[in-house]
Amino acid sequence: GNFDSFYLNICNLLDRLEIPVGLSSIGVKKEKVSELALKASKDAAASTNPRYATNDALQTLILESLEGARWGKLLKDKSNKTVEIYENL
């Protein structure tokens, strides 16, 4: 097996468990990104991260996570099973 196969299996598991693909599916709105980034930077856990994240970096991460928190783009078959990555990871 390779990484793509492993990744697809993990994505399929997340789909079966009905884990949301992006933050928007749990109600996070684009208008809240700057507020969320500020809260994240002030959270106690932020100091334990191995890398410091600027507010701009946090906003970018949150924006990218609104629609698709998983890497790459995935295709679904008729049963909604993940079948292929069509973008380089």
Side-chain angles (χ1 to χ4, degrees):
N2 59 25
F3 176 78
D4 289 349
S5 175
F6 171 77
Y7 180 75
L8 286 173
N9 282 314
I10 294 298
C11 288
N12 282 324
L13 174 62
L14 295 172
D15 290 344
R16 285 195 312 272
L17 295 172
E18 299 180 7
I19 304 297
V21 174
L23 295 173
S24 64
S25 62
I26 60 169
V28 176
K29 304 288 183 208
K30 191 174 183 177
E31 304 82 55
K32 293 290 187 176
V33 169
S34 61
E35 179 184 339
L36 288 170
L38 182 60
K39 285 183 179 184
S41 69
K42 292 182 178 188
D43 188 271
S47 64
T48 65
N49 283 336
R51 277 188 357 193
Y52 171 77
T54 65
N55 190 276
D56 286 344
L58 290 168
Q59 286 187 42
T60 298
L61 178 66
I62 295 166
L63 277 170
E64 290 174 356
S65 299
L66 284 176
E67 295 305 322
R70 298 180 194 151
W71 298 342
K73 294 185 178 178
L74 308 173
L75 295 176
K76 305 284 183 174
D77 65 12
K78 290 180 182 178
S79 67
N80 205 36
K81 180 179 177 184
T82 304
V83 292
E84 182 179 347
I85 295 177
Y86 62 88
E87 183 176 278
N88 291 332
L89 299 176

